[in-house]
C-alpha cells in the first residue's frame, strides 16, 4: 500500500490535464473521450451488470494464476466482494466503454475476464466483437451467465490459461484493434504477453495495461514497454497505461489525470 501511495503522489506531481498537450491525436482523445461528460446509452447496461454482481452473495472458489490478491486471504470468496474489490470500478468501466466507442473498435481481446465487468463495458458497444480469456472456471461461469442475461452475444469467452490461447490466436493470425491486459500483475508475465501479442496489433491498435503502478515490477514492465521501438505514444493515467503504435507520430509519453 505504501508503494502505491508514493507512486500516486509522484504521478500527481508529473501529470497534466488537456492543457499543454502538443499532440493533436492525444488532445482530441483526452478532450473528446477521457473528459466526455455525456450520458451514453451503454452506461445503463454496465451499471446494471455491475450492480447485479454486487448483490450476489454466492461463494465461489477462485483460482489465481497471477500476482494474487492483496484483499482476500482465502480462495473461497463471495461474488459481491470480488466485484467490489477486484472488479473494474464503474468510473473506469464507463471510460473503457467510451474508448471502445471513440476509437471505433471492431475486434477486441481481453486477458482476464474475472466476472466480466470490463467485458460488459467493451461489449456494450454492439459493433465490437470481444474475445475474453479467463483461467478460473468459477469466475468464468459467473461471467458467462451474466453475458447471457444481458444478451452480450458479441462476447466470446474462452476458459483456459493465457499461454495456449494466445499461441492459438497468433498462429491463426488474428488482429485486434484493442487488447486489454488485466490478468497477471507480474513484470515478466506482462512483458511476455506484450511481446507475444505484438503480431496481433496493427498501426491503429491500442493496448491497455491495468495496474501499471501495482508494484515496482509492474512499473519496470511499463518502462520497458514504453521504450519498445514499435511503441510511439503512451498515456499513463495511473491505473492504466495506454499504448499506441501510430508510426506517423513522433515518440511521446504522457501522464494524464482523470
Amino acid at each position: 500500500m505504501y508503494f502505491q501511495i508514493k507512486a500516486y503522489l509522484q504521478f500527481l506531481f508529473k501529470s497534466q490535464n488537456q492543457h499543454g498537450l502538443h499532440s493533436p491525436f492525444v488532445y482530441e482523445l483526452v478532450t473528446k473521450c477521457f473528459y466526455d461528460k455525456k450520458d451514453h446509452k451503454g452506461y445503463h447496461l454496465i451499471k446494471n451488470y455491475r450492480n447485479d454482481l454486487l448483490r450476489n452473495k454466492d461463494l465461489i472458489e477462485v483460482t489465481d494464476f497471477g500476482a494474487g490478491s492483496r484483499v482476500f486471504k482465502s480462495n473461497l470468496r463471495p461474488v459481491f466482494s470480488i466485484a467490489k474489490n477486484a472488479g473494474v470500478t464503474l468510473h473506469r468501466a464507463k471510460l473503457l466503454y467510451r474508448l471502445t466507442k471513440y476509437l471505433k473498435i471492431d475486434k477486441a481481446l481481453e486477458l482476464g475476464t474475472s466476472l466480466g465487468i470490463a467485458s460488459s463495458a467493451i461489449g456494450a458497444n454492439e459493433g465490437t466483437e470481444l474475445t475474453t480469456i479467463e483461467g478460473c472456471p468459477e469466475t468464468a461461469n459467473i461471467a458467462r451467465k451474466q453475458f447471457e442475461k444481458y444478451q452480450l452475444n458479441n462476447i466470446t469467452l474462452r476458459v483456459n490459461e493465457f499461454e495456449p490461447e494466445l499461441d492459438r490466436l497468433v498462429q491463426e493470425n488474428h488482429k485486434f484493434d484493442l487488447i486489454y491486459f488485466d490478468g497477471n500483475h507480474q513484470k515478466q508475465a506482462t512483458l511476455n504477453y506484450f511481446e507475444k501479442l505484438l503480431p496481433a496489433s496493427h498501426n491503429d491498435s491500442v493496448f491497455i495495461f491495468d495496474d501499471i503502478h501495482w508494484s515496482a515490477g509492474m512499473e519496470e514492465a511499463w518502462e520497458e514497454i514504453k521504450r519498445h521501438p514499435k511503441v510511439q505514444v503512451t498515456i499513463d493515467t495511473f491505473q492504466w497505461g495506454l499504448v499506441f503504435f501510430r508510426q506517423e507520430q513522433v515518440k511521446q509519453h504522457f501522464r494524464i489525470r482523470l
Side-chain angles (χ1 to χ4, degrees):
M1 182 61 72
Y2 172 75
F3 176 86
Q4 289 182 310
I5 293 171
K6 180 181 177 182
Y8 185 61
L9 291 175
Q10 291 174 339
F11 169 82
L12 286 178
F13 180 73
K14 297 177 180 179
S15 62
Q16 63 184 121
N17 54 22
Q18 74 271 32
H19 301 296
L21 291 174
H22 299 298
S23 164
F25 169 74
V26 175
Y27 178 81
E28 292 204 354
L29 177 67
V30 170
T31 56
K32 295 181 179 180
C33 178
F34 283 15
Y35 295 164
D36 178 6
K37 302 299 182 185
K38 295 192 294 292
D39 185 20
H40 293 270
K41 67 175 184 178
Y43 290 175
H44 184 69
L45 183 152
I46 298 165
K47 186 176 181 179
N48 286 343
Y49 185 108
R50 186 171 181 271
N51 284 343
D52 239 3
L53 295 169
L54 291 172
R55 291 190 293 266
N56 190 330
K57 295 182 170 61
D58 291 346
L59 286 173
I60 62 173
E61 187 170 0
V62 175
T63 305
D64 275 325
F65 291 96
S69 173
R70 289 175 174 168
V71 176
F72 300 105
K73 304 303 181 186
S74 167
N75 284 348
L76 194 64
R77 304 168 190 175
V79 171
F80 74 88
S81 289
I82 300 172
K84 180 180 178 180
N85 296 295
V88 67
T89 64
L90 182 59
H91 175 71
R92 288 279 166 174
K94 288 179 177 179
L95 175 56
L96 190 53
Y97 170 85
R98 294 198 304 273
L99 279 164
T100 305
K101 183 177 182 180
Y102 177 81
L103 295 171
K104 298 179 174 63
I105 302 300
D106 291 323
K107 294 187 182 299
L109 173 67
E110 177 185 32
L111 306 188
T113 315
S114 188
L115 300 174
I117 300 174
S119 315
S120 75
I122 297 171
N125 291 275
E126 295 177 359
T128 302
E129 294 180 16
L130 171 65
T131 299
T132 182
I133 306 171
E134 175 57 47
C136 172
E138 292 291 311
T139 52
N141 187 48
I142 299 292
R144 181 179 287 107
K145 291 176 181 177
Q146 288 287 100
F147 297 159
E148 292 173 357
K149 180 176 180 178
Y150 287 91
Q151 299 180 345
L152 291 164
N153 302 318
N154 53 333
I155 299 179
T156 300
L157 172 60
R158 299 187 179 278
V159 184
N160 199 356
E161 293 186 44
F162 291 165
E163 291 290 344
E165 289 297 323
L166 299 187
D167 287 340
R168 184 189 61 80
L169 290 170
V170 171
Q171 287 168 5
E172 293 176 359
N173 200 31
H174 287 269
K175 297 290 182 182
F176 295 99
D177 309 303
L178 181 153
I179 301 181
Y180 182 55
F181 297 77
D182 186 26
N184 191 322
H185 299 146
Q186 298 181 93
K187 175 182 177 180
Q188 198 54 54
T190 299
L191 292 173
N192 290 345
Y193 300 150
F194 169 70
E195 291 285 352
K196 190 179 287 288
L197 286 168
L198 277 176
S201 69
H202 55 79
N203 189 66
D204 295 320
S205 295
V206 56
F207 284 9
I208 303 176
F209 293 89
D210 188 53
D211 279 334
I212 57 172
H213 297 284
W214 168 270
S215 63
M218 282 300 291
E219 286 192 341
E220 290 167 6
W222 176 239
E223 291 302 319
E224 284 196 38
I225 289 167
K226 286 165 61 177
R227 291 193 295 268
H228 194 281
K230 288 189 177 181
V231 171
Q232 289 298 101
V233 175
T234 68
I235 302 175
D236 177 351
T237 70
F238 188 74
Q239 183 72 30
W240 287 346
L242 284 74
V243 170
F244 296 91
F245 304 93
R246 298 163 56 86
Q247 294 303 304
E248 65 271 25
Q249 294 197 216
V250 296
K251 197 173 184 80
Q252 289 180 288
H253 306 295
F254 301 90
R255 294 182 179 89
I256 304 294
R257 296 188 298 275
L258 296 178

